[in-house]
Amino acid sequence: MLLCGQAENVFWLGRSLERAEDLARAILAYEEIRLDLPGQRAPGWQRLAACAGVAPAEAEGMEPATFVARVILDRHSPFSLLGALHAARENLRRARSLFPAECWHTLNPLYLRLGGLGGDVPPADLRANLERVVAACRELGGHIATGMLRDEGYAFFRMGVLLERSDMMLRVVTIVADTLIPGDQGMPFENVRWIGLLKSVGAYGTYRHRYHAATDFGSALQLLLFEPKFPRSLTYALDEVRDHLAVLPRHEDPRSALDACRPACTVERAAFGGLANQLLERLAHASSVLEETYFSVALPVPERSSAPHAHVKRPAAAGEPALDLLRG
Amino acid sequence: MLWNAYKSETFDELVSRDGLPRPAAKPISDYIEALGADQLRDRQRAATAEIRAEGITFVVSDQHGNLDREWPFDVIPRVMSAGEWARIDRGLQQRLAGLNAFIGDLYGDQRVVKDGVFPREVLATSRFFLPSCVDMRPKFGVWAHICGSDLVRDADGVVFVLEDNLRVPSGVSYMLENRSISKRVFPELFMDQRIEPVDGYSSRLYALLVSLAPDGVLQPKVVLLTPGVGNSAYFEHCYLAQQMGVELVEGSDLVVRDDRVYMRTIGGLEAVDVIYRRIGDDFLDPDAFNPASVIGCRGLIRAWRAGNVALVNAPGAGVADDKLVYSYVPDLIRYYLGEDAILPNVPTFRLFDERQRRHVLADLRSFVVKPANESGGYGVVVGSKASAAELEECRAAVEADPRNFIAQPIVQLSTAPTLCEGGIEPRHLDLRPFILSGLQSYVTRGGLTRVALRKGSLVVNSSQGGGSKDTFIVDGTGGL
């Protein structure tokens, strides 16, 4: 069976890769919203920085250059995009044997390329690089989908991906919902924000296909939270994690923690902020129950079928000095 | 002409004194000549890019902490003839047979001491002799299953063994990666030449590890134990684990219960039968050795002594990886095998011997002084290159603890053409082949060639600014 340490690596590889992709998507979409919203209506970078995990005090009034340095290119930060790629690369290094060889050849050059960018990178180049991050992460997903053994390693990788995706999706929805000024309801600008949101979580094309022209709160949430056939929805993620847990030992606790993450079938607009925060907390709890169950356990010794082997040891010959052998 | 200006002050691996390529190296010299300087630089760039993309790195520590550095590689290969290699291969197998017999004897009856071949005082002061290994009898009588011996060639073309690394030798992954890069940047060369492949190593290593499992275990669980990501050879640990398809574990993944080793899996504890450990003896088991070790696993030595797990290399094998012990190896081969050593040692002065010490200290500039128990080139003083202050420091260190030092005449290491900023220039190098010993033994075809990239430097260690080359053993055209 999979080593606990390796399960942890693989789980965090999934989380880090998904985080890098989702952050890149969110930044790209956010930039697009900003360009569509005139002057004061444009949201500042602080919301996205806070969404990435920057402390509110630091995020407040964050300049674009600081945003690039802190949220995108800071290798040592646990919440930056490059930090996520760094963590993914370290995890993949150790778990390389479980993954198709192409994964390393996709991830490593991506990491080196992004790591080589300076803080003064022009916006167009930055955009191209973020698009590259999204593309490379999809490429990795493709290598894994088509080339990886469906074993426990795959289960932990997917669970990491899905939990992180749900977490990031809820955060992005929250910030977009927050920026909707009540007076803007039904105005063109609200539409811009919802389109931006759907793009940032990779759901825009599906949404158009499903709900056609207009974008509104209710149908967007319907898709993102409840659509069981949409692979980026919360319900889909919870269903798939449940399936992976089903084949793992000792899955009772993580499964109940996971089941608590399912929202009620309808969501009132006014209550959304509270619900999102509650779901985020429950997801975090489910993740930590999973980690406690599988990564750091005190385990019982299994029964051995064969007797211990003692053929190597030779009794000390008479006359030899008696050594306290175990003390060294 | 690329080679016209090329001139080495000493024996050169590719070019003879009259400026002509050595027979074994002729096709490769011609190929490089035909390629021309610009093309060669392009290939070097391609190789460097490949190393970067592949993530072939090693960790160096400096005052700022650990740095993950890209593996330095020179595209011009070092070439040796299959005929010459066959002799080296035999010599290394012989050497390891002698060394393993010696280690087993030291932890057993100590005949070699009783017969006066190996001095009791040297054994008594050995840093790597572990009393907790006394009376152990590892399978096949082998303690040093994996050895990396460093070979050098002097100005007359004679190949010597410079040292035997029997504790946790590293470098074999770089040998394998160097070849994989060579094949990518010089595909034409491999189509036209009979260059012996090197990539059988990982499967041989795996077969060796499996063969060492305790008797009665039919499908042994093999793991590679690494100190972790900060270790200079972490790349290699990941690489070998992946190549063999075994688990890469850290001390915290293992646990010992009732003298059996288990690894923690998501399904519970799973028994481990063979551990290829890349952690030094000191840190292997805090119960048995350094109690402060956090990278080892408590109880490992008890489990090993109980015969429930194989440790590879066996604990205590390092007793023969002492540069003072090294000086006795030709005698040990004669003593245990009744044969003369096929590969000579570099003449070595034992500084605990007062006469030899006086001889060396009287003319320190002509010697290399080495600590007996360090690796990675640390603490080595090259007399001819040292400052007066360094020489004084060295003299004081030797006088304070003569047992812990040896001295050797400075060997003018052979050179090979290397692509440098100003063109192709000679650079000094050595060679580390790897020897696997079990029921049978196996020597890599060639090894890791390490090259001192600085002009005139004799220090090839990668931790000290050394680089590397691929090593071609080519079939066909005779000797030197």
PDB file of all heavy atoms in Angstrom, chain B residues 403-420:
ATOM      1  N   ARG B 403      47.497   9.715  13.558  1.00  0.00           N
ATOM      2  CA  ARG B 403      46.720   8.557  13.101  1.00  0.00           C
ATOM      3  C   ARG B 403      45.675   8.989  12.072  1.00  0.00           C
ATOM      4  O   ARG B 403      45.275   8.237  11.209  1.00  0.00           O
ATOM      5  CB  ARG B 403      46.040   7.905  14.299  1.00  0.00           C
ATOM      6  CG  ARG B 403      44.785   7.073  14.011  1.00  0.00           C
ATOM      7  CD  ARG B 403      45.084   5.844  13.182  1.00  0.00           C
ATOM      8  NE  ARG B 403      43.932   4.973  12.968  1.00  0.00           N
ATOM      9  CZ  ARG B 403      43.054   5.114  11.976  1.00  0.00           C
ATOM     10  NH1 ARG B 403      43.168   6.127  11.137  1.00  0.00           N
ATOM     11  NH2 ARG B 403      42.058   4.258  11.835  1.00  0.00           N
ATOM     12  N   ASN B 404      45.234  10.223  12.194  1.00  0.00           N
ATOM     13  CA  ASN B 404      44.110  10.654  11.392  1.00  0.00           C
ATOM     14  C   ASN B 404      44.497  11.248  10.041  1.00  0.00           C
ATOM     15  O   ASN B 404      43.669  11.839   9.360  1.00  0.00           O
ATOM     16  CB  ASN B 404      43.257  11.629  12.202  1.00  0.00           C
ATOM     17  CG  ASN B 404      41.824  11.599  11.731  1.00  0.00           C
ATOM     18  OD1 ASN B 404      41.374  10.606  11.162  1.00  0.00           O
ATOM     19  ND2 ASN B 404      41.121  12.696  11.925  1.00  0.00           N
ATOM     20  N   PHE B 405      45.787  11.107   9.654  1.00  0.00           N
ATOM     21  CA  PHE B 405      46.196  11.660   8.361  1.00  0.00           C
ATOM     22  C   PHE B 405      47.055  10.672   7.582  1.00  0.00           C
ATOM     23  O   PHE B 405      47.767   9.856   8.163  1.00  0.00           O
ATOM     24  CB  PHE B 405      46.994  12.958   8.568  1.00  0.00           C
ATOM     25  CG  PHE B 405      46.150  14.085   9.081  1.00  0.00           C
ATOM     26  CD1 PHE B 405      46.019  14.296  10.452  1.00  0.00           C
ATOM     27  CD2 PHE B 405      45.478  14.923   8.208  1.00  0.00           C
ATOM     28  CE1 PHE B 405      45.229  15.326  10.941  1.00  0.00           C
ATOM     29  CE2 PHE B 405      44.683  15.958   8.685  1.00  0.00           C
ATOM     30  CZ  PHE B 405      44.558  16.159  10.059  1.00  0.00           C
ATOM     31  N   ILE B 406      46.977  10.796   6.271  1.00  0.00           N
ATOM     32  CA  ILE B 406      47.930  10.090   5.416  1.00  0.00           C
ATOM     33  C   ILE B 406      48.487  11.114   4.426  1.00  0.00           C
ATOM     34  O   ILE B 406      47.917  12.194   4.252  1.00  0.00           O
ATOM     35  CB  ILE B 406      47.277   8.926   4.641  1.00  0.00           C
ATOM     36  CG1 ILE B 406      46.079   9.417   3.821  1.00  0.00           C
ATOM     37  CG2 ILE B 406      46.861   7.797   5.566  1.00  0.00           C
ATOM     38  CD1 ILE B 406      46.269   9.367   2.367  1.00  0.00           C
ATOM     39  N   ALA B 407      49.596  10.751   3.796  1.00  0.00           N
ATOM     40  CA  ALA B 407      50.152  11.646   2.778  1.00  0.00           C
ATOM     41  C   ALA B 407      50.468  10.826   1.541  1.00  0.00           C
ATOM     42  O   ALA B 407      50.824   9.647   1.629  1.00  0.00           O
ATOM     43  CB  ALA B 407      51.403  12.331   3.316  1.00  0.00           C
ATOM     44  N   GLN B 408      50.273  11.454   0.400  1.00  0.00           N
ATOM     45  CA  GLN B 408      50.594  10.785  -0.861  1.00  0.00           C
ATOM     46  C   GLN B 408      51.373  11.761  -1.723  1.00  0.00           C
ATOM     47  O   GLN B 408      51.153  12.969  -1.642  1.00  0.00           O
ATOM     48  CB  GLN B 408      49.298  10.378  -1.585  1.00  0.00           C
ATOM     49  CG  GLN B 408      48.533   9.292  -0.859  1.00  0.00           C
ATOM     50  CD  GLN B 408      47.116   9.106  -1.368  1.00  0.00           C
ATOM     51  OE1 GLN B 408      46.522  10.032  -1.921  1.00  0.00           O
ATOM     52  NE2 GLN B 408      46.573   7.923  -1.178  1.00  0.00           N
ATOM     53  N   PRO B 409      52.288  11.231  -2.539  1.00  0.00           N
ATOM     54  CA  PRO B 409      52.940  12.136  -3.481  1.00  0.00           C
ATOM     55  C   PRO B 409      51.865  12.729  -4.403  1.00  0.00           C
ATOM     56  O   PRO B 409      50.846  12.093  -4.646  1.00  0.00           O
ATOM     57  CB  PRO B 409      53.886  11.232  -4.265  1.00  0.00           C
ATOM     58  CG  PRO B 409      53.447   9.835  -3.992  1.00  0.00           C
ATOM     59  CD  PRO B 409      52.737   9.849  -2.684  1.00  0.00           C
ATOM     60  N   ILE B 410      52.107  13.926  -4.875  1.00  0.00           N
ATOM     61  CA  ILE B 410      51.099  14.557  -5.730  1.00  0.00           C
ATOM     62  C   ILE B 410      51.068  13.834  -7.074  1.00  0.00           C
ATOM     63  O   ILE B 410      52.065  13.798  -7.797  1.00  0.00           O
ATOM     64  CB  ILE B 410      51.420  16.052  -5.927  1.00  0.00           C
ATOM     65  CG1 ILE B 410      51.377  16.760  -4.573  1.00  0.00           C
ATOM     66  CG2 ILE B 410      50.437  16.687  -6.904  1.00  0.00           C
ATOM     67  CD1 ILE B 410      51.881  18.185  -4.589  1.00  0.00           C
ATOM     68  N   VAL B 411      49.934  13.232  -7.383  1.00  0.00           N
ATOM     69  CA  VAL B 411      49.800  12.550  -8.669  1.00  0.00           C
ATOM     70  C   VAL B 411      49.345  13.590  -9.688  1.00  0.00           C
ATOM     71  O   VAL B 411      48.344  14.278  -9.484  1.00  0.00           O
ATOM     72  CB  VAL B 411      48.756  11.416  -8.592  1.00  0.00           C
ATOM     73  CG1 VAL B 411      48.606  10.741  -9.948  1.00  0.00           C
ATOM     74  CG2 VAL B 411      49.144  10.405  -7.536  1.00  0.00           C
ATOM     75  N   GLN B 412      50.107  13.703 -10.751  1.00  0.00           N
ATOM     76  CA  GLN B 412      49.726  14.638 -11.809  1.00  0.00           C
ATOM     77  C   GLN B 412      48.580  13.980 -12.581  1.00  0.00           C
ATOM     78  O   GLN B 412      48.820  13.269 -13.544  1.00  0.00           O
ATOM     79  CB  GLN B 412      50.939  14.914 -12.713  1.00  0.00           C
ATOM     80  CG  GLN B 412      50.834  16.173 -13.530  1.00  0.00           C
ATOM     81  CD  GLN B 412      50.569  17.413 -12.672  1.00  0.00           C
ATOM     82  OE1 GLN B 412      51.089  17.542 -11.589  1.00  0.00           O
ATOM     83  NE2 GLN B 412      49.745  18.304 -13.178  1.00  0.00           N
ATOM     84  N   LEU B 413      47.351  14.165 -12.127  1.00  0.00           N
ATOM     85  CA  LEU B 413      46.217  13.466 -12.745  1.00  0.00           C
ATOM     86  C   LEU B 413      46.219  13.669 -14.258  1.00  0.00           C
ATOM     87  O   LEU B 413      46.568  14.737 -14.750  1.00  0.00           O
ATOM     88  CB  LEU B 413      44.892  14.001 -12.209  1.00  0.00           C
ATOM     89  CG  LEU B 413      44.636  13.985 -10.714  1.00  0.00           C
ATOM     90  CD1 LEU B 413      43.207  14.428 -10.442  1.00  0.00           C
ATOM     91  CD2 LEU B 413      44.883  12.633 -10.134  1.00  0.00           C
ATOM     92  N   SER B 414      45.792  12.639 -14.972  1.00  0.00           N
ATOM     93  CA  SER B 414      45.721  12.751 -16.429  1.00  0.00           C
ATOM     94  C   SER B 414      44.664  13.793 -16.803  1.00  0.00           C
ATOM     95  O   SER B 414      43.843  14.192 -15.988  1.00  0.00           O
ATOM     96  CB  SER B 414      45.353  11.400 -17.040  1.00  0.00           C
ATOM     97  OG  SER B 414      44.079  11.001 -16.593  1.00  0.00           O
ATOM     98  N   THR B 415      44.727  14.213 -18.068  1.00  0.00           N
ATOM     99  CA  THR B 415      43.792  15.232 -18.538  1.00  0.00           C
ATOM    100  C   THR B 415      42.951  14.669 -19.680  1.00  0.00           C
ATOM    101  O   THR B 415      43.248  13.603 -20.233  1.00  0.00           O
ATOM    102  CB  THR B 415      44.540  16.462 -19.079  1.00  0.00           C
ATOM    103  OG1 THR B 415      45.383  16.032 -20.152  1.00  0.00           O
ATOM    104  CG2 THR B 415      45.361  17.137 -18.005  1.00  0.00           C
ATOM    105  N   ALA B 416      41.922  15.411 -20.019  1.00  0.00           N
ATOM    106  CA  ALA B 416      41.183  15.149 -21.250  1.00  0.00           C
ATOM    107  C   ALA B 416      40.742  16.492 -21.807  1.00  0.00           C
ATOM    108  O   ALA B 416      40.562  17.449 -21.047  1.00  0.00           O
ATOM    109  CB  ALA B 416      39.986  14.251 -20.995  1.00  0.00           C
ATOM    110  N   PRO B 417      40.570  16.549 -23.136  1.00  0.00           N
ATOM    111  CA  PRO B 417      40.130  17.805 -23.742  1.00  0.00           C
ATOM    112  C   PRO B 417      38.753  18.195 -23.211  1.00  0.00           C
ATOM    113  O   PRO B 417      37.861  17.358 -23.121  1.00  0.00           O
ATOM    114  CB  PRO B 417      40.045  17.469 -25.238  1.00  0.00           C
ATOM    115  CG  PRO B 417      40.811  16.203 -25.410  1.00  0.00           C
ATOM    116  CD  PRO B 417      40.763  15.475 -24.119  1.00  0.00           C
ATOM    117  N   THR B 418      38.630  19.445 -22.849  1.00  0.00           N
ATOM    118  CA  THR B 418      37.411  19.953 -22.231  1.00  0.00           C
ATOM    119  C   THR B 418      37.059  21.284 -22.881  1.00  0.00           C
ATOM    120  O   THR B 418      37.944  22.099 -23.152  1.00  0.00           O
ATOM    121  CB  THR B 418      37.654  20.144 -20.720  1.00  0.00           C
ATOM    122  OG1 THR B 418      38.076  18.886 -20.169  1.00  0.00           O
ATOM    123  CG2 THR B 418      36.408  20.613 -20.000  1.00  0.00           C
ATOM    124  N   LEU B 419      35.778  21.494 -23.120  1.00  0.00           N
ATOM    125  CA  LEU B 419      35.354  22.724 -23.769  1.00  0.00           C
ATOM    126  C   LEU B 419      35.328  23.853 -22.746  1.00  0.00           C
ATOM    127  O   LEU B 419      34.524  23.846 -21.827  1.00  0.00           O
ATOM    128  CB  LEU B 419      33.964  22.526 -24.383  1.00  0.00           C
ATOM    129  CG  LEU B 419      33.456  23.652 -25.285  1.00  0.00           C
ATOM    130  CD1 LEU B 419      34.400  23.899 -26.458  1.00  0.00           C
ATOM    131  CD2 LEU B 419      32.055  23.331 -25.788  1.00  0.00           C
ATOM    132  N   CYS B 420      36.270  24.811 -22.935  1.00  0.00           N
ATOM    133  CA  CYS B 420      36.387  25.916 -21.995  1.00  0.00           C
ATOM    134  C   CYS B 420      36.078  27.218 -22.739  1.00  0.00           C
ATOM    135  O   CYS B 420      35.879  27.212 -23.948  1.00  0.00           O
ATOM    136  CB  CYS B 420      37.795  25.974 -21.409  1.00  0.00           C
ATOM    137  SG  CYS B 420      38.266  24.436 -20.598  1.00  0.00           S
TER     138      CYS B 420
END
